[in-house]
Amino acid sequence: MAVNRRDLLVQAGATAGLAAAAGATLQPVSAQAQQVPATWDREADIVVIGSGATGLTAANVARDAGNSVIVVETQNHYGGHAICSGGNLPLGGGNSYQKKYGIEDSPDLFFRDLTDWSVVEPNGFPTYRYNDREILRAFADNSPATFEFLLDHGVKIVEKGPDRQGGNGVGNSVLRTMHCAVMDWPMVQTGKPADTSVQATMSSGNGLMQPLHAAAVKAGVEILLEHRMTAIHRETPHSGRVIGIAVDNNGTKLNIRAHKAVIVGTGGSSGNVNFRRMFDPRLTEEYCGLAGMPWSTQDASGELAAMAIGASLWGTANFTGEFGDGITKPGTIGCQYGYVNLRWYPGSTVFDKARAIGLHVADWQNLILVNMLGKRFYDETGRQFTGNTYMAVDPYQPDSYLNAKNVKYDPNNFLNAALAGIGDGHNGGGPIWAIFDADAVTREKWDPKPPNVDYDAGFFFSANSIEELAGKIVMKYQRVPMPPHNLVGTVSNYNAFVDAGQDYDFGKPKPLYKIAKPPFYAAWATPVIHDTRAGLRINARCQVVDFNGEVIAGLYAGGESAGGFSMHGLARATCQGFIAGKNAAAENGKA
Ligand SMILES: Cc1cc2nc3c(=O)[nH]c(=O)nc-3n(C[C@H](O)[C@H](O)[C@H](O)COP(=O)(O)OP(=O)(O)OC[C@H]3O[C@@H](n4cnc5c(N)ncnc54)[C@H](O)[C@@H]3O)c2cc1C
C-alpha cells in the first residue's frame, strides 16, 4: 500500500518529537521538511554529513573524481566512532592482501557467505538471514576496490595474514579481516601516539581515520567542525532533488548548497533513546554508555532529517539484535563508558566528558553482578552470544540445515538476563551493579579512586557494610531503591555457595571468593549498546529510497545510518562510503 505524504509527515514528526524529548544532543533535527532557503551561505558539488568511516571515504572518492566537497561534522573533532574503533577491517572478496597471503576469495564467494541463512549463532539467530540481497551484492562486489582505495590513501595494514579477529559475521569460507596499523598517529583515547614498539602491529581506528583525514585535507576537501546538520533541503519541501542542508554552527544558522548530492554518514541512531525504543522497548535510558561515546554520539539526526523529507527505514528487524556484539557485557566497571574494547584516559580531549577510566575486570570470579533490586541473575563468568566468523561453524556445509546441529545453544546469556526487567511495571532491566570487597581489589590490583572510577556522577559507591552500600546506591537511573536486606541476603547466599564449592542458583563454576572484607564496593556494570544495525533505506548505489520505493534524487547514505545490511562496522561503512562517493560524483545535478 502506498503511504501518502501526510501519513509520512505525521510519522516522521512523531519520531522527531520523541528525539527532542529524549534530550538528543545540541540543536534538535527538524521534524518537518524545511522551506527551501532563498539564499545559500556556502556551496559545493558534494556535501557530506559526518566525518567518520563513511563520510571521509566518500569525501575522498568524490574529491578524487574532481568535485568540490564540504564535510560537516557536529563534533569539534573528526573521525566518528571509526577513529576510536579497533581498526579491524573485514573487506574481503579477493583483495591484494588476501592474495599476498595465499587466500583465495572472490565477490561471489563473499556474497555466498554473507547470504548463507544456515549459519546461526548460539541463540539460533542467523546474522544475515534478513538482509537485503541487492545491498549485500554491491558490498561484495565493491569490497576489494574499497580496500585498495584505502591503501592508496595512506592506510597501513599490519603485516600478517588476514585473520578472524574483530571482524564479525563475514562468513565461514575464508579469512577476511585485515588490521589498520596505528603507526605514529596520536590516539584519541590517550592524546599520544602508541608505544613505538607496537606502532606497526597494533590494530586501531586511528590508523584508518587519521590517514583518510590527512588525504582529504591534502586533496582540498573542506571539513567544517562544530557544524551540525539540522535539516536536508529538497527542491520543494516534499518533492524533487535534494539540493542542500541546513547546519547549526554554535548558534549560527547556515544553508549549504549541494550542486550534485548530499551524503548522509551520520553514524546511526542507537544513542537516541526514543528512536531505538521504536525497535526494542527494553532499551531505556539506563543503557547510557554507548561504545564510542563520548567521542561522538549516535543521535539519529541523519535518519530523522532524511525521514522528514520522505526517506524510509530498512531492515529494522536487525536494529539491535540479540546476536553478535550489538549489545555487550561491559569490560570495565565503575564508569559510564565501559565498552570492553575502549577506555578513555586523562590525556584524551574527551576525558572531561568520560570522567573515569574504569576498572578492567580480569577475572569475573572476583565479583557478583546484581540487578537494581540487589539480586543475582547470571553466572558472572559467562559470556554472551558470539559472532559467526571463519570456522565458527565447523564442519561447514554452505546452505545446509545441518550447520545448525554444530552450534551449541548457550542458555547462560548475560544480555537477556540483564535486560529482563525486575517486575516493577517499567521497561528495561535497570542498572546492573558489580559488588565486591577489599580482597577483590587486592587480587585485581585495582585502585578504586578517581580517575579510575566515577563517584561524582554516581557510577561507583563504597561503604563499610553491605547494608550501608545498598542504601548509598542513589543515582538517576536507579529508579527504585535497592532494598538493603536483598543485597545482604544475596551476598550471604553467595558466600555460602563459596563454602559449599557450588553455585546452586546459576552454576558459576566453583565460586571462589567470599565477599567479606570491608570496604565493599558497587560499580556500574550495565550492558553497553554497540552498533546501529538498521537505518535509512538505500539501494545498491547507496541512494536513499522513500516510502513508496522511489529514489530520492541527490541523497545518498551509508554506514550505520543505512539499513538493509546488519554487518558490524568499518567494512560496511567504508565500502558504502566508497559506493556513495562514486555514484554521487557521477551525478549531473539535474532534476
Ligand atoms: C570502540 C569501538 C570499536 C570498534 N571496533 C571496530 C572494529 O575493530 N572493526 C569494525 O569493523 N568496526 C568497529 N567498530 C564499529 C565502527 O567503528 C563503526 O561501525 C563505523 O565507524 C561506522 O561508521 P559511520 O561512518 O557509519 O559512523 P561514524 O564513524 O561514527 O561517523 C559518524 C560521524 O557523523 C557525525 N555526525 C552525526 N550526526 C551529525 C550531524 N547531525 N551533523 C554533522 N555530523 C554528524 C558524528 O559526530 C561522527 O563523526 C567499533 C566501534 C566502536 C565504538
Side-chain angles (χ1 to χ4, degrees), residues 29 49-55 72-75 79-82 84-90 166 227-229 265-267 291-292 296-299 301 339 341-342 530-531 558-561 568-571 573:
V29 167
I49 312 166
S51 67
T54 310
V72 297
E73 167 56 55
T74 187
Q75 301 292 339
H81 279 192
C84 6
S85 76
N88 307 302
L89 190 63
H227 280 64
R228 176 172 165 75
M229 177 280 301
T266 43
S296 59
T297 59
Q298 297 200 317
D299 67 2
S301 52
Y339 176 56
N341 291 327
L342 180 61
H530 194 308
D531 291 34
E560 293 195 30
S561 285
H568 165 72
L570 298 172

Side-chain angles (χ1 to χ4, degrees), residues 445-508:
K445 300 193 181 56
W446 284 332
D447 180 11
K449 292 200 279 296
N452 297 313
V453 294
D454 188 358
Y455 277 102
D456 288 350
F459 292 87
F460 195 77
F461 300 93
S462 62
N464 281 322
S465 74
I466 295 289
E467 196 169 19
E468 188 195 354
L469 183 65
K472 276 191 167 178
I473 300 175
V474 177
M475 52 97 71
K476 62 180 172 178
Y477 301 119
Q478 180 78 19
R479 60 176 184 258
V480 292
M482 184 182 290
H485 63 272
N486 276 7
L487 191 61
V488 170
T490 298
V491 169
S492 121
N493 272 352
Y494 185 76
N495 288 346
F497 294 163
V498 174
D499 282 337
Q502 197 165 345
D503 173 1
Y504 291 105
D505 286 342
F506 299 102
K508 185 170 184 168

Side-chain angles (χ1 to χ4, degrees), residues 87-318:
N88 307 302
L89 190 63
L91 279 167
N95 62 53
S96 59
Y97 223 71
Q98 288 179 302
K99 288 190 181 124
K100 181 170 170 184
Y101 285 92
I103 293 170
E104 277 188 41
D105 197 5
S106 67
D108 285 347
L109 185 60
F110 203 5
F111 180 70
R112 192 194 75 185
D113 274 357
L114 291 173
T115 53
D116 189 342
W117 56 270
S118 72
V119 178
V120 295
E121 297 191 354
N123 62 342
F125 197 103
T127 316
Y128 293 124
R129 186 177 289 177
Y130 307 112
N131 283 318
D132 185 320
R133 299 305 194 248
E134 172 185 353
I135 297 169
L136 292 174
R137 185 74 237 187
F139 172 76
D141 288 344
N142 283 279
S143 269
T146 303
F147 183 70
E148 307 312 325
F149 178 87
L150 296 176
L151 297 186
D152 289 347
H153 287 73
V155 176
K156 304 278 184 237
I157 298 297
V158 174
E159 202 50 76
K160 60 175 179 158
D163 58 26
R164 55 184 287 188
Q165 304 302 318
N168 289 333
V170 281
N172 272 260
S173 298
V174 295
L175 292 167
R176 297 192 166 107
T177 307
M178 283 75 61
H179 303 276
C180 303
V182 66
M183 307 311 286
D184 57 359
W185 298 103
M187 295 177 66
V188 297
Q189 294 88 336
T190 58
K192 295 183 299 207
D195 191 271
T196 45
S197 63
V198 297
Q199 287 180 358
T201 53
M202 183 177 151
S203 182
S204 165
N206 290 278
L208 172 69
M209 298 310 295
Q210 301 282 17
L212 278 183
H213 174 258
V217 170
K218 189 164 171 224
V221 172
E222 198 175 351
I223 300 174
L224 305 177
L225 300 178
E226 298 185 308
H227 280 64
R228 176 172 165 75
M229 177 280 301
T230 54
I232 298 173
H233 294 300
R234 290 181 86 165
E235 281 170 322
T236 77
H238 308 310
S239 64
R241 287 187 70 80
V242 162
I243 50 172
I245 62 171
V247 295
D248 179 278
N249 171 219
N250 297 320
T252 303
K253 314 265 185 257
L254 300 171
N255 287 301
I256 305 181
R257 166 96 204 195
H259 292 295
K260 289 188 173 182
V262 168
I263 301 176
V264 179
T266 43
S269 55
S270 293
N272 183 322
V273 175
N274 284 297
F275 197 91
R276 75 188 185 212
R277 291 193 62 210
M278 290 194 293
F279 309 98
D280 187 341
R282 294 176 306 175
L283 300 180
T284 42
E285 294 75 10
E286 63 270 32
Y287 308 107
C288 61
L290 228 70
M293 278 174 77
W295 183 261
S296 59
T297 59
Q298 297 200 317
D299 67 2
S301 52
E303 289 82 339
L304 290 167
M307 288 170 77
I309 57 158
S312 173
L313 297 179
W314 209 230
T316 56
N318 289 322

